[in-house]
Amino acid sequence: QVQLIESGGGLVQTGDSLRLSCTASVGTISNYAMGWFRQAPGKEREFVVGISWGGVTTNYVDSVKDRFTISRDNPKNTVYLQMNSLKPEDTAVYYCAANSRGRSWQPSSYDYWGQGTQVTVSS
């Protein structure tokens, strides 16, 4: 079992940056592909980015390409999401998740989820 804890969210202005962290407080992430998702009020949970077990392969949703960067530090049991040039439409609760089957954009394929961290971007 893996328990994930996200941190790093907050209230920022358009164009600012934030770095989210996702740490496993129980278990290890090294056996899992990891993903970041987000959910805005009234909308479905949306895939943002995924990273493979070893961190070599990533895939991003088009709306965040060239602005967001995912990375992982397996010895630290942590995945990061660097978010630059933030826009109001990035406002959402951000969740990290672990997938034993590999990278996927489908939320239903993920085994474990964190509780989420709020990111609010003001215009």
Side-chain angles (χ1 to χ4, degrees), residues 6 14 23 26-27 33 38 47 52 60 71 81 95 105 111 119:
E6 302 98 334
T14 297
T23 300
V26 175
R38 64 187 180 186
F47 171 81
S52 59
Y60 295 83
S71 61
L81 182 63
Y95 300 89
W105 59 269
D111 303 285
V119 172

Side-chain angles (χ1 to χ4, degrees), residues 2-17:
V2 177
Q3 293 185 5
L4 302 171
I5 301 175
E6 302 98 334
S7 61
L11 172 63
V12 297
Q13 295 184 334
T14 297
D16 285 349
S17 298

